[in-house]
Structures are given as structure tokens and as C-alpha cells.
């Protein structure tokens, strides 16, 4: 039983239209546009901003480098802003006529609607990244001509790729360019589903184990090829894969949100080492992932190693030191102590109990 890794191809079901993930995503906001991935959604917003070259862009010092990609390609003026505890942004109240990029981290919403409104009052443009909070429909109540919400949908939904922009601009330009290379990710998802089914069915059968090993190597290579392509290519807005739309129309939002909340609630209740939890549960508005913090990097790495030895695979961590200046010590230090554990809709009490037992028995170094 493996836990974690990218989402495999899901079990599709005959889902009532209003119950589907597609219906949910397309009824959060009056105006929206799909794209092939999250970074393309960012690029589209930037390209739709006429005076973007004249704006200073304030980005959080705790972020994935894929967010930076479009800003770098357009050679925009980027400045990072710091955070205090629990990833609360520290923004200069004097920022005017600029772009401010905010992130809802790990299902929390560190910037309130009121605070976003105050930023917008300075004639600023705000991009709110809701990739981690897409399951909280209350987050979509604020509308403003200079306010955009973007999400990388594959972080929550089992699709080969997809991104979305929510906005209030009736003249927003989308893209009808067909998506490129997503078939590699789709094949990887299908092979991963086959692999998981075979390993669950045949267990320790020697011949099947050898075959499964080859299948796993192949889907991991396909996934890496796709990720490398995205990093090595210039971001160009493209349309969302039709396969992604089909999947979204045939998976249930209730199944996704209920299972995620059940798993998150279970882990918060069952973990004995309470100081491991980065956030109190009342701070979490969207059930994205279980976020843990450790005293130091050695403790984190030791626990991560133990999880992997037991076939639990935490997500890849952001390597801030490669692109965030040393002056942002809180963010760089946090990145060495943080660990995320999957709690998504693929898993139930059995898998969560396994993770709980590993975390509760782990010795801190």
C-alpha cells in the first residue's frame, strides 16, 4: 500500500451535473477562464495587464519557483516580501500602483478579505493563489476589477493538468491554443493506477513484483519528462486538456471534500506530538494537506526517510535557497523544517492509521 505521489487516474462515475467538480469550479465566480496549467494562468493574467511593465511586482518570499517563471520571462520588476509566524505576510502599507501576489498556504487563508481590500485601495492589482484553498467556496466572495484568483487544479483534482483564473474583466483574453505534451502525464496517471491495482492484488508475487517495478520506473520517468518540459519551455497560455474537463465532469465534489476533511480531522485528532502541527485546525479552511514542522532539518529528514521506507511519499519540498535571497531567514529556515503528508481523497482510515502510527512512533533526533 503506497501513499502519496502524484494523483493517479481516478475511478469515474456517472455524477449529477451539479455534484461534479466541473460544476463546482465553474460556479464559484461570474468570470473564469481555464488554462493548461497554473503557471499559464499566471502568465495570462500578466499578459492581460496593459501596464504590467511599469508595475513593481511584490511576491512572497515563500513560494514555488514555478510561480516565478512568468515574471522572469517578462523581465518584470520583482521584489520579495517577508512573513511572520504561520506565514502571515508582512506588507508595507505604502505600496501603491503595484502588483501584489498572495498565497493561501496549505489550506489556510493568512490574508483576510478586509486586508485584500485595503491592498486594492492603494490602486494595486492583487493575484490571490488559491491552489491550496480551492475547496473553500467562501474564499470567492470578493470581487474587484483589479483582483484575480488563480489555481493549479492538478494539486487537488486527479487530472493530467489544468489551471484557472477567476476575474471581473469582461475583456479578459483567454487562449485557444491546444495543450502540448500533457499526454505524457495522462499516460503516467494511467500506468500508476495499473501499478497500484496490481501491487494491491498480487502483493509479494515475485514475477508481478518485477513487472510492477518496471511499470513504476516508466510512469515516474514519464512524469519527470513532463515536469522538465514545463520548466524548460517558455510559458505560453494554452487551453485546458479536454481529458481534464471530462474527468472533472465525472468526479464528485462531495466525495473529494468529505474524504479530505475526514482524513485531516483524523490526523489532527490522533497525532500525539501536538507541536508537530504547523497550524491549529481552526486555521484551516480548505482540506489540502497535513503540514508538519520540526525543530530542525535533521528531525524533518529523519521522519521523511522513515515515511518513505514505509511507502509513504511526502510531496517534493520547495528549495528556497536556490531563488530566495538569504535575508529572508524565516522563510528559508521554515523550508528546512517543514514536511507535508498527503490526506487526499484516495485514502481512508486504514491509510491514515498507517501514517499516524509512523509519526507517533518516530524518534526525534
Amino acid at each position: 500500500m503506497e501513499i502519496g505521489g502524484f494523483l493517479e487516474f481516478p475511478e469515474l462515475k456517472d455524477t449529477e451535473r451539479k455534484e461534479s467538480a466541473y460544476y463546482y469550479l465553474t460556479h464559484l465566480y461570474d468570470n473564469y477562464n481555464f488554462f493548461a496549467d497554473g503557471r499559464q494562468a499566471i502568465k495570462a493574467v500578466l499578459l492581460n495587464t496593459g501596464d504590467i511593465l511599469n508595475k513593481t511586482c511584490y511576491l512572497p518570499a515563500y513560494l514555488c519557483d514555478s510561480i516565478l517563471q512568468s515574471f522572469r520571462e517578462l523581465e518584470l520588476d520583482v521584489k520579495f516580501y517577508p512573513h511572520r509566524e504561520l506565514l502571515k505576510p508582512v506588507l508595507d502599507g505604502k505600496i501603491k500602483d503595484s502588483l501584489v501576489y498572495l498565497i493561501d498556504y496549505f489550506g489556510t487563508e493568512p490574508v483576510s478579505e478586509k486586508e485584500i481590500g485595503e491592498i486594492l485601495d492603494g490602486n494595486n492589482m492583487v493575484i490571490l493563489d488559491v491552489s491550496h484553498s480551492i475547496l473553500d467556496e467562501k474564499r470567492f466572495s470578493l470581487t474587484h476589477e483589479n483582483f484575480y484568483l488563480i489555481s493549479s487544479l492538478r494539486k487537488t483534482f486527479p487530472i493530467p493538468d489544468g489551471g484557472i483564473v477567476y476575474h471581473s474583466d469582461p475583456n479578459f483574453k483567454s487562449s485557444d491554443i491546444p495543450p502540448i505534451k500533457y499526454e505524457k502525464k495522462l499516460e503516467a496517471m494511467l500506468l500508476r493506477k495499473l501499478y497500484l491495482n496490481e501491487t494491491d492484488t498480487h502483493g509479494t508475487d515475485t514475477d508481478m513484483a518485477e513487472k510492477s517495478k518496471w511499470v513504476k520506473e516508466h510512469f515516474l520517468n514519464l512524469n519527470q519528462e513532463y515536469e522538465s518540459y514545463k520548466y524548460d519551455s517558455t510559458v505560453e497560455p494554452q487551453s485546458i486538456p479536454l481529458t481534464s474537463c471530462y474527468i472533472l465532469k465525472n468526479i464528485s465534489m462531495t466525495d473529494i471534500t468529505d474524504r479530505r476533511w475526514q482524513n485531516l480531522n483524523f490526523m489532527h485528532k490522533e497525532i500525539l506530538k501536538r507541536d508537530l502541527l504547523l497550524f491549529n485546525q481552526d486555521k484551516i479552511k480548505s482540506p489540502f494537506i497535513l503540514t508538519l514542522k520540526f525543530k530542525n532539518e535533521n528531525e524533518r529528514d529523519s521522519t521523511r526517510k522513515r515515511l518513505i521506507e514505509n511507502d509513504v511519499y511526502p510531496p517534493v519540498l520547495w528549495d528556497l535557497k536556490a531563488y530566495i535571497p538569504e535575508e529572508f531567514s524565516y522563510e528559508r529556515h521554515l523550508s528546512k523544517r517543514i514536511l507535508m503528508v498527503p490526506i487526499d481523497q484516495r485514502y481512508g482510515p486504514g491509510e491514515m492509521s498507517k501514517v499516524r502510527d509512523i509519526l507517533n512512533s518516530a524518534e526525534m533526533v
Side-chain angles (χ1 to χ4, degrees), residues 35-185:
F35 293 92
D37 62 30
R39 67 192 80 191
Q40 291 178 26
I42 296 170
K43 188 71 165 283
V45 172
L46 299 178
L47 293 175
N48 273 276
T49 305
D51 60 343
I52 191 64
L53 295 177
N54 299 320
K55 291 184 181 294
T56 298
C57 300
Y58 290 89
L59 271 60
Y62 192 81
L63 81 172
C64 173
D65 59 344
S66 65
I67 294 172
L68 282 170
Q69 192 170 351
S70 292
F71 291 88
R72 287 169 171 164
E73 289 174 0
L74 294 173
E75 299 181 346
L76 301 181
D77 178 23
V78 170
K79 294 184 178 179
F80 293 107
Y81 63 81
H83 303 75
R84 58 178 183 265
E85 284 297 326
L86 300 183
L87 290 166
K88 176 73 175 178
V90 179
L91 286 162
D92 188 338
K94 298 179 181 179
I95 293 176
K96 306 288 183 184
D97 307 311
S98 300
L99 182 153
V100 179
Y101 194 103
L102 304 170
I103 298 177
D104 283 346
Y105 294 105
F106 311 121
T108 68
E109 298 167 4
V111 184
S112 68
E113 186 176 309
K114 179 175 181 288
E115 291 168 320
I116 293 172
E118 291 170 352
I119 297 171
L120 290 166
D121 288 343
N123 197 35
N124 294 303
M125 171 183 171
V126 173
I127 300 177
L128 176 62
D129 191 324
V130 293
S131 297
H132 296 183
S133 59
I134 192 72
L135 300 181
D136 178 21
E137 56 187 316
K138 295 178 182 178
R139 194 53 162 162
F140 296 81
S141 59
L142 177 63
T143 60
H144 190 283
E145 61 182 351
N146 292 324
F147 182 51
Y148 300 82
L149 303 97
I150 69 99
S151 177
S152 174
L153 298 175
R154 66 175 179 156
K155 290 182 170 63
T156 298
F157 301 99
I159 57 176
D161 221 338
I164 196 166
V165 179
Y166 298 98
H167 56 84
S168 300
D169 180 3
N171 298 313
F172 190 91
K173 295 179 182 179
S174 188
S175 175
D176 57 4
I177 299 173
I180 300 173
K181 301 287 187 181
Y182 79 93
E183 297 90 348
K184 284 187 179 291
K185 183 59 178 284

Side-chain angles (χ1 to χ4, degrees), residues 106-293:
F106 311 121
T108 68
E109 298 167 4
V111 184
S112 68
E113 186 176 309
K114 179 175 181 288
E115 291 168 320
I116 293 172
E118 291 170 352
I119 297 171
L120 290 166
D121 288 343
N123 197 35
N124 294 303
M125 171 183 171
V126 173
I127 300 177
L128 176 62
D129 191 324
V130 293
S131 297
H132 296 183
S133 59
I134 192 72
L135 300 181
D136 178 21
E137 56 187 316
K138 295 178 182 178
R139 194 53 162 162
F140 296 81
S141 59
L142 177 63
T143 60
H144 190 283
E145 61 182 351
N146 292 324
F147 182 51
Y148 300 82
L149 303 97
I150 69 99
S151 177
S152 174
L153 298 175
R154 66 175 179 156
K155 290 182 170 63
T156 298
F157 301 99
I159 57 176
D161 221 338
I164 196 166
V165 179
Y166 298 98
H167 56 84
S168 300
D169 180 3
N171 298 313
F172 190 91
K173 295 179 182 179
S174 188
S175 175
D176 57 4
I177 299 173
I180 300 173
K181 301 287 187 181
Y182 79 93
E183 297 90 348
K184 284 187 179 291
K185 183 59 178 284
L186 177 59
E187 183 180 359
M189 292 175 66
L190 288 164
L191 286 173
R192 188 166 198 271
K193 181 178 178 63
L194 172 65
Y195 164 80
L196 292 172
N197 287 343
E198 290 293 333
T199 52
D200 286 346
T201 302
H202 297 283
T204 58
D205 181 275
T206 305
D207 290 338
M208 287 305 302
E210 191 62 31
K211 178 182 177 182
S212 295
K213 180 181 178 182
W214 178 88
V215 172
K216 183 173 184 177
E217 289 177 354
H218 189 46
F219 72 65
L220 289 175
N221 287 336
L222 284 170
N223 185 61
Q224 186 55 53
E225 286 177 26
Y226 182 62
E227 295 302 323
S228 297
Y229 163 77
K230 286 157 69 78
Y231 273 101
D232 295 340
S233 302
T234 300
V235 178
E236 178 184 29
Q238 301 161 8
S239 58
I240 189 172
L242 292 179
T243 305
S244 294
C245 292
Y246 181 79
I247 293 171
L248 291 170
K249 291 176 180 178
N250 289 278
I251 54 176
S252 163
M253 276 304 298
T254 300
D255 290 350
I256 292 170
T257 54
D258 285 359
R259 180 57 64 87
R260 282 175 170 264
W261 275 123
Q262 289 166 9
N263 291 340
L264 189 66
N265 291 340
F266 176 88
M267 294 304 295
H268 271 263
K269 178 182 178 181
E270 295 289 326
I271 285 182
L272 298 177
K273 304 178 178 73
R274 308 304 298 173
D275 57 347
L276 280 181
L277 300 169
L278 179 59
F279 303 107
N280 290 333
Q281 194 168 359
D282 61 354
K283 295 292 184 182
I284 300 172
K285 308 302 180 183
S286 185
F288 180 68
I289 206 161
L290 179 69
T291 314
L292 308 175
K293 70 178 188 303

